[in-house]
Amino acid sequence: MLFSELGLGPDVLRAIEDKGYTQPTPIQEQAIPWVLQGRDVLGCAQTGTGKTASFTLPMIDILASGRARARMPRSLILEPTRELAAQVAESFETYGKHHKLSMALLIGGETFSEQVKRLDRGVDVLIATPGRLIDLFERGNIMLNDIKVFVIDEADRMLDMGFIPDIERIVSKLPKIRQTLFFSATMPPEIRRLADAFLMNPKEISVAPPASPAETVTQAMALVHEVDKRKALRHLLRTEDVRNAFIFCNRKRDIDVLRRSLERHGFNAGALHGDMVQSKRTETLEAFKRGDITLLVCSDVAARGIDVQGLSHVFNFDVPINAEDYVHRIGRTGRAGRQGRAFMLATPDDDKLVSAIARLIKREIPMIAIDGLESAEFGEEEARPSRGRGGRGRDRSERTKDRGERAGREASREERAPRAEAGQREDRPRDERQRDERPSQPRESVAAAEARRSEPRRDRDRDRRRRRDDDDDDVAVIGFGDHVPSFMLRAARPRPADAARDTKAEALDGAQEG
DNA sequence: AAAAAAT
């Protein structure tokens, strides 16, 4: 089957040809003729199947043959993330280059004024993430009365992200008579219900997931101790022939730490996650696509759908919490028939997550050893320097139990005479002991006291992590020994209330407060 | 054990 047989107009075909494509993918082959006929489509397809072009190509054709009324937008595409929205906009630009269609990319994190200006000039296509679209609509900047083609992309992910109420609101502003294209990688009952509500007599299309990563991506996993992860990663980066790679972390706060660590060791790394300002996100992704940056340390914002041509490697610095995310992450490489390689660093604690992944992909991930690193074993206790005492030599259930009991002890102590149980204090880390030297506050409820107590502890841990990163990677800092720096006994950013209390406490020097 | 999205 060729693109030229699908009923697309000559200008779109020319753009496709310019791009060097002749054969449509299965989803394009199945969807395009129906979309051109004006039918609603319910498409079950993952990213990487050529789904985006399956709606942009016919939409360009439809829009080209129609006319805008009072310059109102005639089509709307909703995407779950800003990067995906930007990618769809690129697709419109690529395939619509022989047309005079105008579009607006309406995503958060960018200034309103540019988007509003564009809307005022009149656009044919809106490509948006839900939040910004609603915002602009409520400010009266968008008319949705003339939307003829509406696309919901990645519906299951929208569901995961809690966007469904937003989508329902948006749909309620659209004309009842319209064409709706609805795409989802999976069809759980809630998604099916949603589709029933939004679509009219849809043509259902389902394509096999893209060649499962198992076939085009060579996978491997190293089992290492938490403290050795960065070293293990560096070893892989040096021994593998890495052209460019995504390095996935589970937590945003770990991303920049890892990026800096890589940079210190001479790697060319950027970062991408949802807490960065949008301009930086865009800039970084562009630099990565150009090859100015070769390593991109990222969160799952980049796990799905982001298409970087010819990505050679994916590294899972952390084992993903959801098994499906593993498939999405490694699916960034080995695309379009190319070979890709995916490595994962697991720690002894990741036992269950790794088996869940193996179950999902129906195969074991081959285990490799890293030269010069002691390899770890599943089920082995993992040293947790950042937790202070109680990490080594005891298993997790014991530790958890201990923490629970300790919390209980402290709570009851708070209720009774706070200083009475000196004997038990030796069980606790020194910094906590010292905290107790402060005057107690009898009127504070137990819950409030616990909340107050746990807050500085979080800040302490954060500081400790920062310190570790400044140290040489190979040196694990375990606890503080006998010295507790005074700043550790305060919150890192004292709120005015805390500060006041602390000063007061010092002044009273142990006296009881009323 | 997390991340994604409006400000």
Side-chain angles (χ1 to χ4, degrees), chain A residues 44-301:
Chain A
C44 192
Q46 301 180 352
T47 59
T49 50
K51 182 185 48 167
T52 304
S54 79
F55 60 84
T56 57
L57 296 173
M59 279 172 83
I60 291 168
D61 237 37
I62 292 170
L63 294 169
S65 60
R67 249 228 148 87
R69 182 157 56 93
R71 293 182 315 187
M72 290 204 282
R74 291 176 289 156
S75 60
L76 169 63
I77 299 163
L78 292 180
E79 294 287 332
T81 68
R82 298 167 185 175
E83 275 74 15
L84 282 175
Q87 222 166 258
V88 171
E90 263 174 48
S91 175
F92 263 101
E93 237 149 43
T94 304
Y95 299 117
K97 68 178 192 182
H98 301 301
H99 293 86
K100 286 192 297 279
L101 294 173
S102 60
M103 62 179 180
L105 179 59
L106 309 176
I107 59 177
E110 288 179 354
T111 53
F112 277 94
S113 52
E114 276 302 310
Q115 296 176 6
V116 170
K117 218 186 289 170
R118 265 214 121 99
L119 290 168
D120 288 345
R121 280 206 301 266
V123 292
D124 302 298
V125 188
L126 300 177
I127 304 162
T129 46
R132 179 56 67 95
L133 183 84
I134 289 176
D135 203 346
L136 285 162
F137 182 83
E138 283 176 350
R139 289 162 183 243
N141 290 306
I142 309 177
M143 302 279 278
L144 295 173
N145 314 331
D146 201 31
I147 297 292
K148 302 214 162 45
V149 187
F150 172 51
V151 181
I152 302 175
D153 199 11
E154 306 262 322
D156 49 351
R157 194 159 179 223
M158 301 260 203
L159 179 77
D160 287 347
M161 291 168 65
F163 278 164
I164 299 307
D166 286 350
I167 308 280
E168 283 169 337
R169 266 179 75 195
I170 292 166
V171 171
S172 72
K173 314 291 180 206
L174 301 177
K176 295 279 167 291
I177 304 293
R178 56 160 200 269
Q179 183 179 11
T180 305
L181 315 176
F182 185 106
F183 294 93
S184 187
T186 58
M187 281 295 159
E190 305 108 291
I191 292 291
R192 168 86 41 192
R193 267 200 299 279
L194 213 59
D196 288 342
F198 295 161
L199 299 164
M200 274 173 58
N201 184 26
K203 182 70 200 163
E204 287 193 31
I205 288 169
S206 177
V207 298
S212 86
E215 287 153 39
T216 53
V217 180
T218 308
Q219 303 171 58
M221 170 176 84
L223 187 48
V224 298
H225 291 292
E226 183 73 40
V227 291
D228 292 332
K229 272 182 157 186
R230 285 184 279 195
K231 198 172 189 185
L233 176 65
R234 293 198 295 272
H235 181 270
L236 290 169
L237 290 171
R238 287 183 184 123
T239 52
E240 281 288 306
D241 187 16
V242 178
R243 201 176 81 90
N244 51 4
F246 279 175
I247 302 170
F248 285 100
C249 294
N250 284 356
R251 297 171 196 79
K252 288 181 281 200
R253 60 166 196 249
D254 294 338
I255 290 175
D256 213 50
V257 173
L258 180 57
R259 201 213 87 234
R260 279 201 305 269
S261 166
L262 286 168
E263 243 168 22
R264 263 205 315 279
H265 286 89
F267 294 99
N268 178 8
L272 185 72
H273 62 77
D275 279 355
M276 293 162 53
V277 293
Q278 187 56 36
S279 55
K280 191 72 190 167
R281 278 167 70 164
T282 312
E283 184 189 311
T284 303
L285 193 56
E286 288 300 310
F288 185 72
K289 285 181 174 171
R290 278 198 309 273
D292 294 348
I293 294 171
T294 52
L295 304 176
L296 193 63
V297 188
C298 53
S299 69
D300 281 318
V301 70

Side-chain angles (χ1 to χ4, degrees), chain A residues 18 32 122-123 142 144 179 247 306 316 357 398 405 487 514:
Chain A
D18 294 345
I32 290 173
V123 292
I142 309 177
L144 295 173
Q179 183 179 11
I247 302 170
I306 292 204
N316 281 297
I357 292 170
E398 263 184 285
E405 279 174 1
F487 76 89

